[in-house]
Amino acid sequence: MNVRLPLAFLSPQFPSVRLLATCSRRVCYSNTAPSGVQLQSVTRLASTTSTCKVVRISSSKPATSAMSVPTIDRDSLDGLLKRRFFFAPAFDIYGGVSGLYDYGPPGCALQANIIDVWRKHFVLEEDMLEIDCTMLTPYEVLKTSGHVDKFADWMCRDPATGEIFRVDHLVEEVLESRLKGDKEARGETAELVDGAEEKKRKKKVKEIKAVKLDDAVVAEYEAILAKIDGYSGPELGELMLKHNIVNPATGGPLSEPLEFNLMFETAIGPSGQLKGYLRPETAQGQFLNFNKLLESNNTKMPFASASIGKSFRNEISPRSGLLRVREFLMAEIEHFVDPRNKSHPRFPDVADTKLRLLSKGTQQEGRTEVTEITIGEAVQTGLVDNETLGYFLARIYMFLIKVGVDHNRLRFRQHMSNEMAHYAADCWDAELQTSYGWIECVGCADRSAYDLTVHSKRTNEKLIVRQSLAEPLTVEAFVVELDKKKFGPKFKKDGKKIEQFLTSRTQCELEDLANELSEKLKITVDVEGVGASVEIEKDIISIEKKTRQEHIREYTPNVIEPSFGIGRILYSLIEHNFWIRPESDQRAVLSFPPAIAPTKVLLVPLSNNEAFEPMINELSRLLRRAGIPAKVDDSSATIGRRYARNDELGTPFGVTVDFQSVQDGTVTLRERDSTKQVRGTLEEVIAAVRRMVGQGAISWQEGTKGLASFEAASE
């Protein structure tokens, strides 16, 4: 369905800027916005966790379309993941701990391969500077960054049972269950719920009741769900009262929403006096090392750093397997850019990339339609704030497709105004549709200069770029001057702290102090480390705007930050690549791209006949030398059974050694999804596999050209 979507909230791509003074709080500029901008070709996608029958086809992975998104039998998938030990609850034999998971051999290899593709796609292709920072972070760092005060979710408690709920999740689940009950009451086709989801729902939300709702109530519930990420704690509390949301299991009342800080607190050192936290993100280490990174890049701008490592968040209600956990792997990029020029030299290379965008304006209207548009158009119209942000959105899309995400189940959702950090210029989440609904897997934000500014202010360490100017620049700025003969004797040992405080103020703060000095003939300031408020009279200090010539421009870079949740991506692409063959409900397949498959090749001797052993050993040696992970299955199971077991692991290719192999040195090569087979010599088959799993991997059709087709017995 195509509809016209007016975008009244659009802003111009490059506003005309007349800089008066650099300031972290406000900048004066003038711009002219385009009028009458409209975007077309809006594709409607469901935003809820809708499900349908399992898709099963025999010769290839199920295809999807934007209008018909297949889902999976999660009971079958969960059984496979547990049986083949992709991942499992940590400390399982002790009863486990919610939100903590261990990765088994295939899961560990899958994660490592995703990281390998990520590193090549971003760090190598974009020439980024990779660093590895400590996971222990002192209190002062996270206090300055705002995490101590603001890194929180909203929770509520049942006073009678002590049970704790995360409020936004509770509201979402209750309203969704009521909408499902309304559909049942209206006689509409009920959504299928797999066994695992049914068990989960019985614990969290009481059994769905077929109760018809007024059309106005249905519309209101759908609007709330469309905006669920944008509500504050008090607003969620109002929704609970208005819609009578109580403990789903008992019907008992719940407390008002309370903020819960998500960081794990710890003590550093034996004294316990140095308070710290396990880091909630990898970004802060990159900001604190900015000067070293700039020097490593020969002081050239723009540039990007990257970091891959574990982060920790003390989730209120861990759920949905790897999608909401307390320890997880992140891969984050900090792209430092001139705030006056956020263009990107490679933007033309990605400008024609089409993305599905869910704008903040659409969400604020209570709708969930996505706009399919090129990133070039999105930046040109102002839907995406700038070229560098748009460039990374396109590169994120390309990476996700490369690792096996279904593009029909991928969208970019813009943060709403009340959801976005106050310092951010724009922010988009790459969301993947799973059986649990739309899941945020990558965040990409323009964080302005916030992080470098606050750390610089707290430490008095300049985290800036110095740029030589071809022509001198005339600058008007407020300047603090002290009468040292009077200042020193009056403040004595506190003088240095007070002077440092005054000289580290922003231009906006100095303007306020200048006005106060003019009106009251004195200023009053609170200086850390000085007991009482400090009063400084006009005969000791002057704060005036002065004009000066600058030959070197100093500025604090802005930051574009793509942040990847590797565990969420890993689970989502497992769902996107899972299907079942029609011959048997037991024959599950994971159609991973060869680049991320845990094992690339299965080596299968026809039987345990000793005549096959030399060729199997030679194949293993050649594959190891080529850097291709392979596994031998010489069990007594049938060929078909052995292939089926490795289709579950996502192994893309199989090589069979039979009696003809002993005679003429040829082997068969099997492709996982289609089960097609070709035959050739060891060298020909190894060369074909290398072409299909290495850098610039090619398709089965291209990779096996020149090899003879082989008709095998039915599996």
Side-chain angles (χ1 to χ4, degrees), residues 644-708:
R645 288 194 303 222
N646 284 274
D647 290 346
E648 289 183 340
L649 294 171
T651 307
F653 305 111
V655 176
T656 304
V657 175
D658 54 23
F659 288 106
Q660 184 179 342
S661 305
V662 177
Q663 296 173 2
D664 61 12
T666 63
V667 293
T668 61
L669 176 64
R670 173 191 182 266
E671 196 270 333
R672 173 197 58 216
D673 293 348
S674 66
T675 70
K676 290 180 179 178
Q677 296 192 43
V678 294
R679 196 167 187 99
T681 65
L682 263 64
E683 292 75 13
E684 290 172 335
V685 167
I686 295 293
V689 171
R690 292 183 68 172
R691 291 194 294 270
M692 293 184 289
V693 303
Q695 282 287 91
I698 59 177
S699 67
W700 168 262
Q701 290 76 14
E702 290 292 320
T704 57
K705 276 185 178 178
L707 296 180

Side-chain angles (χ1 to χ4, degrees), residues 316-341:
I316 295 170
S317 54
R319 60 176 191 170
S320 308
L322 298 182
L323 299 182
R324 191 163 297 279
V325 294
R326 290 176 167 140
E327 176 186 351
F328 51 94
L329 187 66
M330 295 186 76
E332 289 191 294
I333 296 165
E334 309 300 334
H335 182 93
F336 300 97
V337 64
D338 187 337
R340 296 187 190 174
N341 180 14

Side-chain angles (χ1 to χ4, degrees), residues 388-423:
T388 299
L389 182 62
Y391 176 78
F392 277 105
L393 292 181
R395 291 287 292 158
I396 290 166
Y397 171 83
M398 294 173 185
F399 164 74
L400 292 173
I401 298 303
K402 188 181 292 185
V403 296
V405 163
D406 180 356
H407 75 277
N408 291 308
R409 286 184 270 183
L410 164 62
R411 73 182 183 189
F412 288 85
R413 185 184 69 83
Q414 188 177 31
H415 281 207
M416 291 175 278
S417 300
N418 58 346
E419 178 187 4
M420 193 158 52
H422 67 278
Y423 51 79

Side-chain angles (χ1 to χ4, degrees), residues 28-45:
C28 300
Y29 64 88
S30 61
N31 63 7
T32 305
S35 60
V37 178
Q38 287 188 318
L39 299 178
Q40 298 183 359
S41 301
V42 180
T43 304
R44 295 183 180 272
L45 285 179

Side-chain angles (χ1 to χ4, degrees), residues 53-99:
K53 292 182 179 179
V54 176
V55 175
R56 296 172 180 166
I57 58 178
S58 59
S59 60
S60 63
K61 178 185 173 183
T64 66
S65 70
M67 300 303 292
S68 177
V69 178
T71 57
I72 53 95
D73 178 349
R74 203 190 305 151
D75 268 348
S76 297
L77 177 57
D78 288 347
L80 184 156
L81 297 176
K82 181 178 180 181
R83 185 175 69 254
R84 306 314 301 267
F85 192 17
F86 274 82
F87 57 86
F91 317 111
D92 201 13
I93 63 174
Y94 278 86
V97 177
S98 296

Side-chain angles (χ1 to χ4, degrees), residues 106 109 113 594 596-602 628-631 646 649-653 672:
N113 291 340
I596 67 160
T599 302
K600 315 302 184 189
V601 181
L602 173 69
I628 300 172
K631 185 172 73 172
N646 284 274
L649 294 171
T651 307
F653 305 111
R672 173 197 58 216

